[in-house]
PDB file of all heavy atoms in Angstrom:
ATOM      1  N   GLN B 310      84.935 -63.335 -59.533  1.00  0.00           N
ATOM      2  CA  GLN B 310      84.601 -64.456 -58.601  1.00  0.00           C
ATOM      3  C   GLN B 310      84.712 -65.832 -59.266  1.00  0.00           C
ATOM      4  O   GLN B 310      85.061 -66.816 -58.627  1.00  0.00           O
ATOM      5  CB  GLN B 310      83.192 -64.273 -58.060  1.00  0.00           C
ATOM      6  CG  GLN B 310      83.138 -63.163 -56.980  1.00  0.00           C
ATOM      7  CD  GLN B 310      81.872 -62.460 -57.020  1.00  0.00           C
ATOM      8  OE1 GLN B 310      80.814 -62.921 -57.431  1.00  0.00           O
ATOM      9  NE2 GLN B 310      81.939 -61.174 -56.735  1.00  0.00           N
ATOM     10  N   ARG B 311      84.444 -65.943 -60.530  1.00  0.00           N
ATOM     11  CA  ARG B 311      84.495 -67.182 -61.178  1.00  0.00           C
ATOM     12  C   ARG B 311      85.740 -67.435 -62.057  1.00  0.00           C
ATOM     13  O   ARG B 311      85.911 -68.476 -62.599  1.00  0.00           O
ATOM     14  CB  ARG B 311      83.193 -67.394 -62.041  1.00  0.00           C
ATOM     15  CG  ARG B 311      81.947 -67.338 -61.249  1.00  0.00           C
ATOM     16  CD  ARG B 311      80.722 -67.353 -62.096  1.00  0.00           C
ATOM     17  NE  ARG B 311      79.553 -67.389 -61.231  1.00  0.00           N
ATOM     18  CZ  ARG B 311      78.647 -68.360 -61.165  1.00  0.00           C
ATOM     19  NH1 ARG B 311      78.723 -69.435 -61.982  1.00  0.00           N
ATOM     20  NH2 ARG B 311      77.622 -68.363 -60.406  1.00  0.00           N
ATOM     21  N   GLY B 312      86.473 -66.346 -62.159  1.00  0.00           N
ATOM     22  CA  GLY B 312      87.634 -66.462 -63.003  1.00  0.00           C
ATOM     23  C   GLY B 312      87.363 -66.627 -64.428  1.00  0.00           C
ATOM     24  O   GLY B 312      88.180 -67.101 -65.191  1.00  0.00           O
ATOM     25  N   THR B 313      86.181 -66.234 -64.937  1.00  0.00           N
ATOM     26  CA  THR B 313      85.819 -66.398 -66.212  1.00  0.00           C
ATOM     27  C   THR B 313      86.653 -65.419 -67.169  1.00  0.00           C
ATOM     28  O   THR B 313      86.816 -64.234 -66.795  1.00  0.00           O
ATOM     29  CB  THR B 313      84.336 -66.180 -66.478  1.00  0.00           C
ATOM     30  OG1 THR B 313      83.619 -66.805 -65.463  1.00  0.00           O
ATOM     31  CG2 THR B 313      83.980 -66.468 -67.848  1.00  0.00           C
ATOM     32  N   THR B 314      87.267 -65.982 -68.235  1.00  0.00           N
ATOM     33  CA  THR B 314      87.850 -65.108 -69.133  1.00  0.00           C
ATOM     34  C   THR B 314      86.807 -64.336 -70.061  1.00  0.00           C
ATOM     35  O   THR B 314      85.955 -64.931 -70.555  1.00  0.00           O
ATOM     36  CB  THR B 314      88.809 -65.927 -70.077  1.00  0.00           C
ATOM     37  OG1 THR B 314      89.579 -66.787 -69.314  1.00  0.00           O
ATOM     38  CG2 THR B 314      89.627 -65.017 -70.910  1.00  0.00           C
ATOM     39  N   VAL B 315      87.043 -63.059 -70.195  1.00  0.00           N
ATOM     40  CA  VAL B 315      86.041 -62.258 -70.867  1.00  0.00           C
ATOM     41  C   VAL B 315      86.614 -61.465 -72.065  1.00  0.00           C
ATOM     42  O   VAL B 315      87.665 -60.721 -71.836  1.00  0.00           O
ATOM     43  CB  VAL B 315      85.258 -61.278 -69.992  1.00  0.00           C
ATOM     44  CG1 VAL B 315      84.237 -60.440 -70.697  1.00  0.00           C
ATOM     45  CG2 VAL B 315      84.726 -61.947 -68.789  1.00  0.00           C
ATOM     46  N   ILE B 316      86.076 -61.599 -73.214  1.00  0.00           N
ATOM     47  CA  ILE B 316      86.422 -60.740 -74.295  1.00  0.00           C
ATOM     48  C   ILE B 316      85.208 -59.864 -74.655  1.00  0.00           C
ATOM     49  O   ILE B 316      84.070 -60.316 -74.880  1.00  0.00           O
ATOM     50  CB  ILE B 316      86.801 -61.441 -75.628  1.00  0.00           C
ATOM     51  CG1 ILE B 316      88.033 -62.383 -75.398  1.00  0.00           C
ATOM     52  CG2 ILE B 316      86.987 -60.501 -76.734  1.00  0.00           C
ATOM     53  CD1 ILE B 316      88.559 -62.882 -76.630  1.00  0.00           C
ATOM     54  N   LEU B 317      85.429 -58.520 -74.412  1.00  0.00           N
ATOM     55  CA  LEU B 317      84.335 -57.537 -74.515  1.00  0.00           C
ATOM     56  C   LEU B 317      84.535 -56.728 -75.777  1.00  0.00           C
ATOM     57  O   LEU B 317      85.459 -56.020 -75.929  1.00  0.00           O
ATOM     58  CB  LEU B 317      84.298 -56.719 -73.309  1.00  0.00           C
ATOM     59  CG  LEU B 317      83.485 -55.503 -73.220  1.00  0.00           C
ATOM     60  CD1 LEU B 317      82.030 -55.988 -73.198  1.00  0.00           C
ATOM     61  CD2 LEU B 317      83.755 -54.668 -72.010  1.00  0.00           C
ATOM     62  N   THR B 318      83.540 -56.828 -76.707  1.00  0.00           N
ATOM     63  CA  THR B 318      83.478 -56.039 -77.878  1.00  0.00           C
ATOM     64  C   THR B 318      82.517 -54.916 -77.733  1.00  0.00           C
ATOM     65  O   THR B 318      81.378 -55.249 -77.416  1.00  0.00           O
ATOM     66  CB  THR B 318      83.149 -56.782 -79.087  1.00  0.00           C
ATOM     67  OG1 THR B 318      84.025 -57.947 -79.176  1.00  0.00           O
ATOM     68  CG2 THR B 318      83.274 -55.997 -80.359  1.00  0.00           C
ATOM     69  N   THR B 319      82.898 -53.681 -77.886  1.00  0.00           N
ATOM     70  CA  THR B 319      82.003 -52.594 -77.613  1.00  0.00           C
ATOM     71  C   THR B 319      82.300 -51.301 -78.269  1.00  0.00           C
ATOM     72  O   THR B 319      83.464 -51.108 -78.612  1.00  0.00           O
ATOM     73  CB  THR B 319      81.736 -52.398 -76.082  1.00  0.00           C
ATOM     74  OG1 THR B 319      80.799 -51.397 -75.888  1.00  0.00           O
ATOM     75  CG2 THR B 319      83.015 -51.895 -75.363  1.00  0.00           C
ATOM     76  N   HIS B 320      81.287 -50.524 -78.543  1.00  0.00           N
ATOM     77  CA  HIS B 320      81.565 -49.164 -78.972  1.00  0.00           C
ATOM     78  C   HIS B 320      81.478 -48.178 -77.819  1.00  0.00           C
ATOM     79  O   HIS B 320      81.790 -46.989 -77.964  1.00  0.00           O
ATOM     80  CB  HIS B 320      80.690 -48.686 -80.042  1.00  0.00           C
ATOM     81  CG  HIS B 320      80.953 -49.433 -81.341  1.00  0.00           C
ATOM     82  ND1 HIS B 320      82.213 -49.259 -82.055  1.00  0.00           N
ATOM     83  CD2 HIS B 320      80.233 -50.267 -82.089  1.00  0.00           C
ATOM     84  CE1 HIS B 320      82.206 -49.993 -83.099  1.00  0.00           C
ATOM     85  NE2 HIS B 320      81.048 -50.611 -83.191  1.00  0.00           N
ATOM     86  N   ASP B 321      80.991 -48.697 -76.729  1.00  0.00           N
ATOM     87  CA  ASP B 321      80.829 -47.783 -75.506  1.00  0.00           C
ATOM     88  C   ASP B 321      82.093 -47.856 -74.660  1.00  0.00           C
ATOM     89  O   ASP B 321      82.259 -48.835 -73.959  1.00  0.00           O
ATOM     90  CB  ASP B 321      79.579 -48.173 -74.729  1.00  0.00           C
ATOM     91  CG  ASP B 321      79.351 -47.231 -73.623  1.00  0.00           C
ATOM     92  OD1 ASP B 321      80.217 -46.452 -73.253  1.00  0.00           O
ATOM     93  OD2 ASP B 321      78.267 -47.357 -73.026  1.00  0.00           O
ATOM     94  N   LEU B 322      82.973 -46.898 -74.841  1.00  0.00           N
ATOM     95  CA  LEU B 322      84.287 -47.036 -74.236  1.00  0.00           C
ATOM     96  C   LEU B 322      84.157 -46.796 -72.633  1.00  0.00           C
ATOM     97  O   LEU B 322      85.153 -47.217 -72.017  1.00  0.00           O
ATOM     98  CB  LEU B 322      85.249 -46.052 -74.816  1.00  0.00           C
ATOM     99  CG  LEU B 322      85.608 -46.583 -76.278  1.00  0.00           C
ATOM    100  CD1 LEU B 322      86.075 -45.459 -77.082  1.00  0.00           C
ATOM    101  CD2 LEU B 322      86.533 -47.676 -76.257  1.00  0.00           C
ATOM    102  N   ALA B 323      83.035 -46.352 -72.255  1.00  0.00           N
ATOM    103  CA  ALA B 323      82.897 -46.287 -70.792  1.00  0.00           C
ATOM    104  C   ALA B 323      82.890 -47.709 -70.255  1.00  0.00           C
ATOM    105  O   ALA B 323      83.426 -48.020 -69.134  1.00  0.00           O
ATOM    106  CB  ALA B 323      81.590 -45.586 -70.471  1.00  0.00           C
ATOM    107  N   ASP B 324      82.204 -48.581 -70.977  1.00  0.00           N
ATOM    108  CA  ASP B 324      82.415 -50.106 -70.552  1.00  0.00           C
ATOM    109  C   ASP B 324      83.761 -50.560 -70.369  1.00  0.00           C
ATOM    110  O   ASP B 324      84.128 -51.168 -69.360  1.00  0.00           O
ATOM    111  CB  ASP B 324      81.810 -50.947 -71.681  1.00  0.00           C
ATOM    112  CG  ASP B 324      80.226 -50.962 -71.813  1.00  0.00           C
ATOM    113  OD1 ASP B 324      79.690 -50.306 -70.881  1.00  0.00           O
ATOM    114  OD2 ASP B 324      79.772 -51.366 -72.829  1.00  0.00           O
ATOM    115  N   VAL B 325      84.634 -50.162 -71.339  1.00  0.00           N
ATOM    116  CA  VAL B 325      86.090 -50.586 -71.363  1.00  0.00           C
ATOM    117  C   VAL B 325      86.841 -49.910 -70.150  1.00  0.00           C
ATOM    118  O   VAL B 325      87.533 -50.543 -69.450  1.00  0.00           O
ATOM    119  CB  VAL B 325      86.761 -50.220 -72.634  1.00  0.00           C
ATOM    120  CG1 VAL B 325      88.152 -50.541 -72.550  1.00  0.00           C
ATOM    121  CG2 VAL B 325      86.087 -50.990 -73.773  1.00  0.00           C
ATOM    122  N   GLU B 326      86.559 -48.624 -69.949  1.00  0.00           N
ATOM    123  CA  GLU B 326      87.180 -47.851 -68.995  1.00  0.00           C
ATOM    124  C   GLU B 326      86.781 -48.435 -67.566  1.00  0.00           C
ATOM    125  O   GLU B 326      87.647 -48.503 -66.675  1.00  0.00           O
ATOM    126  CB  GLU B 326      86.825 -46.455 -68.995  1.00  0.00           C
ATOM    127  CG  GLU B 326      87.983 -45.528 -69.421  1.00  0.00           C
ATOM    128  CD  GLU B 326      87.550 -44.083 -69.546  1.00  0.00           C
ATOM    129  OE1 GLU B 326      86.410 -43.773 -69.850  1.00  0.00           O
ATOM    130  OE2 GLU B 326      88.412 -43.279 -69.357  1.00  0.00           O
ATOM    131  N   ARG B 327      85.583 -48.868 -67.460  1.00  0.00           N
ATOM    132  CA  ARG B 327      85.095 -49.340 -66.171  1.00  0.00           C
ATOM    133  C   ARG B 327      85.623 -50.804 -65.938  1.00  0.00           C
ATOM    134  O   ARG B 327      85.796 -51.225 -64.674  1.00  0.00           O
ATOM    135  CB  ARG B 327      83.536 -49.331 -66.212  1.00  0.00           C
ATOM    136  CG  ARG B 327      82.841 -50.071 -65.186  1.00  0.00           C
ATOM    137  CD  ARG B 327      82.678 -49.268 -63.936  1.00  0.00           C
ATOM    138  NE  ARG B 327      81.715 -49.963 -63.026  1.00  0.00           N
ATOM    139  CZ  ARG B 327      81.904 -51.130 -62.416  1.00  0.00           C
ATOM    140  NH1 ARG B 327      82.995 -51.656 -62.513  1.00  0.00           N
ATOM    141  NH2 ARG B 327      80.924 -51.638 -61.695  1.00  0.00           N
ATOM    142  N   LEU B 328      85.835 -51.562 -66.950  1.00  0.00           N
ATOM    143  CA  LEU B 328      86.006 -53.033 -66.813  1.00  0.00           C
ATOM    144  C   LEU B 328      87.362 -53.578 -67.091  1.00  0.00           C
ATOM    145  O   LEU B 328      87.911 -54.509 -66.496  1.00  0.00           O
ATOM    146  CB  LEU B 328      84.988 -53.810 -67.584  1.00  0.00           C
ATOM    147  CG  LEU B 328      83.545 -53.733 -67.143  1.00  0.00           C
ATOM    148  CD1 LEU B 328      82.687 -54.300 -68.223  1.00  0.00           C
ATOM    149  CD2 LEU B 328      83.328 -54.453 -65.857  1.00  0.00           C
ATOM    150  N   CYS B 329      88.003 -52.963 -68.089  1.00  0.00           N
ATOM    151  CA  CYS B 329      89.179 -53.711 -68.652  1.00  0.00           C
ATOM    152  C   CYS B 329      90.558 -53.060 -68.307  1.00  0.00           C
ATOM    153  O   CYS B 329      90.629 -51.833 -68.126  1.00  0.00           O
ATOM    154  CB  CYS B 329      89.161 -53.683 -70.225  1.00  0.00           C
ATOM    155  SG  CYS B 329      87.584 -54.287 -70.825  1.00  0.00           S
ATOM    156  N   ARG B 330      91.519 -53.841 -68.040  1.00  0.00           N
ATOM    157  CA  ARG B 330      92.812 -53.379 -67.864  1.00  0.00           C
ATOM    158  C   ARG B 330      93.496 -53.347 -69.160  1.00  0.00           C
ATOM    159  O   ARG B 330      94.469 -52.568 -69.393  1.00  0.00           O
ATOM    160  CB  ARG B 330      93.587 -54.215 -66.834  1.00  0.00           C
ATOM    161  CG  ARG B 330      93.775 -53.609 -65.432  1.00  0.00           C
ATOM    162  CD  ARG B 330      94.844 -54.305 -64.662  1.00  0.00           C
ATOM    163  NE  ARG B 330      96.022 -54.624 -65.460  1.00  0.00           N
ATOM    164  CZ  ARG B 330      96.925 -55.486 -65.163  1.00  0.00           C
ATOM    165  NH1 ARG B 330      96.757 -56.321 -64.102  1.00  0.00           N
ATOM    166  NH2 ARG B 330      97.976 -55.702 -65.897  1.00  0.00           N
TER     167      ARG B 330
END
Side-chain angles (χ1 to χ4, degrees):
Chain B
Q310 285 146 31
R311 296 173 180 243
T313 312
T314 309
V315 181
I316 295 191
L317 171 67
T318 305
T319 182
H320 287 297
D321 186 345
L322 290 157
D324 289 347
V325 176
E326 250 178 330
R327 165 85 167 69
L328 292 168
C329 309
R330 253 194 50 199

